[in-house]
Amino acid sequence: MSAKVPSDARTGETILQGIGVSPGVAFGRITLIDAAGYGVSDHTIGADGLAQEIERLDKAVRKSRRQILALKRIRGRLPDAAAAELGDILEAHVQMLGDSRLVRGARKRIQDEGRNAAAAMKAECDAIVTGFQAMDNRYLAARADDVREVAYRVLRNLTDAPKNAFAGAPEGSVVLSESISPADTAMMDPGRINGFAASQGGAQSHTAILARSLGIPAVLGLGAFHAPSPGTEVILDGTEGVVILRPAPATEARYRDKHAKQVRDQRRLEALIDEPAATRDGVTVRLEANLELPREAEIASRNGADGVGLFRTEFMFMNRDTPPDEDDQYTALAEVVRAMKGRPVTIRTMDVGGEKLAYALGDDLAPSPNPALGLRAIRLSLKRPKLLETQLCAILRAGAHGPVRILLPMIATAGEVRQVREILGRVAKRLRRRGVDFADPLPPLGVMIEVPGAAIAADSLAQVADFFAIGTNDLTQYTLAIDRTDEQVAHLYNPLHPAVLRLMDFAVQAALRARIPVSVCGEIAGDPRFTALLVGLGIRDLSMASTSLLRVKQRIRQIEFTAAANRARMVMESHDSGRIRMLLDDLNGLN
Ligand code: PEP
Ligand code: MG
């Protein structure tokens, strides 16, 4: 991530433009996430393990090369001169990962000194850098930075599981990195980290979703940038999608005003906490929370959630060396159920896979040529029934503390639901034999409608499921073949595409006919621009980031249901996304 971005010579500030994915203005100082955050262990390798250790190093080197080549592709966002300069730098980095002194030296240290790959790479990097610095030559000093950057990349790739990269981040940090995974985000403490930004990622990625849930302003998809020094003063605006390094006094004053206005708006919204979410003509809508981490239950409660419409349990599998056992899962889930004080909690079985990696699952999660279409979510659970049984046991036991519902991700066929129901029956019998308390009667078993095939077959799924939760994030991704995490196609991602709306409407109608509850829990549920359309289409249950609940409630209280239903009909008859957007803007009073 090294490129010169033009600075304003007059003020000294540098503006990086990306995609605003979590609203709010953050002020702070830059913390860079690099190998230093991961720690490098130094240990000896026995003679019989040396070849394998060298192969581990080579694999990390190959992965680093692939990452740099991918970065070369996204440098197009930069002005021409900066893009050319960055191209040269990245090319030099690619060379350093070929038959270079760095790689040869690290291999030799493994072979001759019996050191592990990370320690060997770090030692070789330090030796080269020290040598360059001793020569007191500005050109070589700059090359030393390149060597360090390349070596740290290899170190990151050698260290599989992200350890707590943010543990040492000072209070008031704005984190800047090339990429920030959902697992990384799960470790952020909003009390210390004021905001974060990364070169990669789009608005529907789980990194973005988690940032919104935790209320951390964030910008993704910055493309390549020249890494500023740690501690550089910064303003990040997660609505406009900008990161301003070394802001000028006038800029700072402007953003302080904006921030103060946001705080005032939030206070005004808080007056709605105990007010009903009902349209002006009396149609009530349930507003529920999407949670990723048990600690968010408190935020959901504070914002008046009617329940939890989606608890993404896959986050319980991240940032640990072994999968959580039944008791670990039960403890975390029971905490959420108790915190919701009798309001229903919808617990989704793990949706690991795709960008949501959980190293604890080890070989259960082998690399896939196309992870979004691979062995993930319910497919993984059914292939490894022990994992599913453990989860179901924990969910049923948590159900002894309050109402729960079980939700299945990535369902494509009725057969998958039947299989899970059978396993659920077996698990309940086992719990009864063990004499432990659990949900009795068994909780409702619902399915995510997020695969286009599931929406088209919604009639048959409604025969076997107790409720539907429409996941528009994946439904949009799979219907339009747009990777929701790829910033290069983020501009094409459009839940208002007629195909997506028709699939959604089809599933809603199937649920209404079968008289089973249906909710929407994709990101559009938390966006007030879509509220009137969703309510107009007959949806009476929306589940979203807790931080969006009050804004959506405010919108519901402005809506006239009959007008929304009429407009929803016009939208459904329209074939063109542009016209659909216009119809909605008009209904939202934006025209
Ligand atoms: C969805 O796909 O819309 C959804 C809610 O699930 P996730 O975002 O976890 O994939
Ligand atoms: Mg999904």
Side-chain angles (χ1 to χ4, degrees), residues 38-206:
Y38 292 79
V40 173
S41 78
D42 193 345
H43 54 270
T44 44
I45 303 283
D48 54 349
L50 292 178
Q52 205 181 348
E53 195 61 9
I54 290 174
E55 174 50 29
R56 232 167 61 71
L57 173 71
D58 287 348
K59 203 167 145 199
V61 168
R62 288 196 295 272
K63 184 168 179 188
S64 303
R65 272 178 72 97
R66 282 200 303 276
Q67 288 168 340
I68 297 175
L69 291 171
L71 265 184
K72 279 182 82 174
R73 286 200 300 274
I74 59 174
R75 80 196 140 100
R77 281 171 186 280
L78 296 169
D80 286 352
E85 185 188 344
L86 175 65
D88 293 344
I89 294 171
L90 293 178
E91 186 50 42
H93 288 193
V94 171
Q95 300 296 328
M96 269 184 241
L97 290 165
D99 184 26
S100 64
R101 174 176 161 196
L102 180 68
V103 175
R104 276 197 316 270
R107 276 202 207 109
K108 191 162 164 11
R109 282 174 195 269
I110 299 175
Q111 187 66 51
D112 297 353
E113 300 168 21
R115 295 174 88 172
N116 59 308
M121 174 52 76
K122 177 88 170 46
E124 188 60 30
C125 164
D126 289 348
I128 297 175
V129 167
T130 311
F132 281 179
Q133 282 167 347
M135 290 183 206
D136 194 20
N137 171 316
R138 275 177 56 193
Y139 173 79
L140 287 180
R143 295 289 73 76
D145 282 347
D146 288 333
V147 172
R148 208 181 283 116
E149 198 168 328
V150 169
Y152 279 7
R153 178 183 294 282
V154 177
L155 289 177
R156 275 200 300 276
N157 288 326
L158 274 169
T159 318
D160 264 354
K163 304 295 178 219
N164 195 344
F166 307 107
E171 213 174 297
S173 291
V174 171
V175 171
L176 201 53
S177 183
E178 189 173 302
S179 69
I180 293 181
S181 71
D184 290 334
T185 317
M187 289 187 295
M188 287 190 191
D189 170 4
R192 308 183 72 75
I193 301 208
N194 291 0
F196 70 83
S199 301
Q200 298 169 3
Q204 315 304 325
S205 65
H206 287 88

Side-chain angles (χ1 to χ4, degrees), residues 116-349:
N116 59 308
M121 174 52 76
K122 177 88 170 46
E124 188 60 30
C125 164
D126 289 348
I128 297 175
V129 167
T130 311
F132 281 179
Q133 282 167 347
M135 290 183 206
D136 194 20
N137 171 316
R138 275 177 56 193
Y139 173 79
L140 287 180
R143 295 289 73 76
D145 282 347
D146 288 333
V147 172
R148 208 181 283 116
E149 198 168 328
V150 169
Y152 279 7
R153 178 183 294 282
V154 177
L155 289 177
R156 275 200 300 276
N157 288 326
L158 274 169
T159 318
D160 264 354
K163 304 295 178 219
N164 195 344
F166 307 107
E171 213 174 297
S173 291
V174 171
V175 171
L176 201 53
S177 183
E178 189 173 302
S179 69
I180 293 181
S181 71
D184 290 334
T185 317
M187 289 187 295
M188 287 190 191
D189 170 4
R192 308 183 72 75
I193 301 208
N194 291 0
F196 70 83
S199 301
Q200 298 169 3
Q204 315 304 325
S205 65
H206 287 88
T207 297
I209 287 173
L210 199 45
R212 290 193 282 271
S213 288
L214 294 172
I216 304 178
V219 176
L220 296 179
L222 285 175
F225 55 83
H226 184 63
S229 315
T232 300
E233 216 177 299
V234 60
I235 297 174
L236 177 150
D237 185 333
T239 311
E240 291 174 11
V242 292
V243 176
I244 304 166
L245 303 169
R246 295 173 295 277
T251 309
E252 169 146 3
R254 198 168 72 247
Y255 280 97
R256 291 268 172 214
D257 282 352
K258 187 169 178 184
H259 180 65
K261 181 175 178 309
Q262 282 167 350
V263 171
R264 283 198 302 276
D265 287 351
Q266 181 58 28
R267 292 238 172 83
R268 222 167 286 139
L269 281 176
E270 281 164 13
L272 296 178
I273 290 180
D274 295 321
E275 298 296 327
T279 63
R280 279 164 41 200
D281 42 355
V283 173
T284 303
V285 182
R286 280 179 64 76
L287 296 184
E288 299 192 288
N290 289 354
L291 309 188
E292 291 75 34
L293 308 170
R295 63 181 152 115
E296 291 170 46
E298 190 270 323
I299 313 177
S301 243
R302 201 176 348 119
N303 285 284
D306 292 318
V308 173
L310 168 63
F311 181 64
R312 294 179 161 105
T313 60
E314 52 273 19
F315 283 87
M316 297 199 291
F317 290 74
M318 295 180 191
N319 300 316
R320 44 188 304 151
D321 296 327
T322 52
D325 65 15
E326 182 191 314
D327 280 343
D328 292 338
Q329 295 188 46
Y330 159 71
T331 307
L333 296 174
E335 185 191 326
V336 175
V337 173
R338 282 199 210 96
M340 293 311 292
K341 299 191 175 78
R343 284 161 288 179
V345 177
T346 308
I347 303 170
R348 186 172 74 182
T349 59

